[in-house]
């Protein structure tokens, strides 16, 4: 049982990382997400990924990216287009998880996003991601995150 939970966590962590890479590539090259996903599959970059989890998040981002930009706009200190693409990709992935995967506690979503931002983003980008997601979680998961917090 413990091994199964460990494998699921590893598959989801890998899914979050690959999702961030797909979203980053999409932001830089303005390619459709489906095309980039296919490229990753052809390069065998999806090995070890929890594919159901990954596909849920990718589909969510693809259908809700414009809405995510509006949410980011409410909490960011600059226009969405000026956000670092790595941080933006991480935020999109976290928003998708907050919206589509209520089985994952919001604090886990934020922690995983901060970890990705530390690994791939700028020097203090993880602090920005953390602050933005903390504020947005109150809107995206009001029952769990306690909407109305400051």
């Amino acid at each position: 049982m413990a091994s199964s939970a460990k494998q699921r966590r590893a598959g989801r962590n890998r899914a979050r990382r690959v999702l961030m890479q797909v979203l980053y590539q999409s932001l830089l090259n303005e390619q459709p997400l489906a095309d980039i996903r296919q490229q990753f599959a052809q390069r065998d970059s999806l090995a070890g990924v929890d594919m159901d989890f990954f596909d849920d998040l990718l589909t969510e981002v693809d259908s809700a990216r414009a809405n995510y930009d509006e949410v980011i706009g409410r909490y960011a200190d600059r226009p969405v287009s000026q956000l670092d693409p790595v941080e933006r990709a991480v935020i999109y992935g976290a928003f998708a998880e907050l919206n589509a995967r209520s089985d994952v506690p919001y604090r886990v979503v934020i922690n995983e996003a901060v970890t990705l931002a530390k690994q791939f983003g700028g020097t203090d980008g993880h602090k920005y991601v953390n602050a933005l997601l903390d504020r947005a979680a109150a809107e995206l998961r009001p029952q769990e995150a306690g909407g109305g917090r400051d």
Side-chain angles (χ1 to χ4, degrees):
M1 199 72 129
S3 178
S4 175
K6 197 176 207 179
Q7 287 175 335
R8 187 179 72 226
R9 270 195 311 276
R12 286 184 173 190
N13 286 340
R14 180 84 176 123
R16 289 179 185 106
R17 181 180 178 157
V18 173
L19 178 68
M20 186 268 312
Q21 293 169 331
V22 168
L23 295 171
Y24 175 80
Q25 186 171 328
S26 174
L27 288 167
L28 291 184
N29 299 329
E30 298 181 8
Q31 288 179 280
L33 292 175
D35 293 352
I36 298 169
R37 184 198 184 286
Q38 186 175 12
Q39 291 169 15
F40 273 68
Q42 289 171 346
R43 293 191 313 240
D44 213 20
S45 299
L46 299 176
V49 170
D50 179 331
M51 290 306 299
D52 290 336
F53 187 77
F54 175 78
D55 285 332
D56 283 352
L57 298 181
L58 189 65
T59 299
E60 174 67 22
V61 172
D62 201 24
S63 67
R65 196 183 323 204
N67 294 337
Y68 293 167
D69 286 343
E70 289 177 26
V71 175
I72 292 169
R74 287 195 288 275
Y75 299 106
D77 62 351
R78 64 193 96 154
V80 174
S81 62
Q82 291 181 9
L83 292 178
D84 177 87
V86 169
E87 293 157 13
R88 194 168 164 192
V90 168
I91 291 167
Y92 283 159
F95 279 10
E97 197 166 351
L98 288 168
N99 278 325
R101 298 302 304 225
S102 61
D103 59 312
V104 181
Y106 85 99
R107 291 197 184 279
V108 171
V109 174
I110 293 173
N111 185 55
E112 294 295 328
V114 167
T115 299
L116 284 171
K118 281 181 181 177
Q119 290 175 339
F120 297 100
T123 303
D124 285 331
H126 68 282
K127 294 176 185 176
Y128 190 82
V129 166
N130 185 45
L132 192 140
L133 289 176
D134 191 50
R135 290 189 301 267
E139 176 183 337
L140 299 172
R141 294 248 187 113
Q143 296 82 5
E144 186 181 359
R149 291 181 310 158
D150 288 329

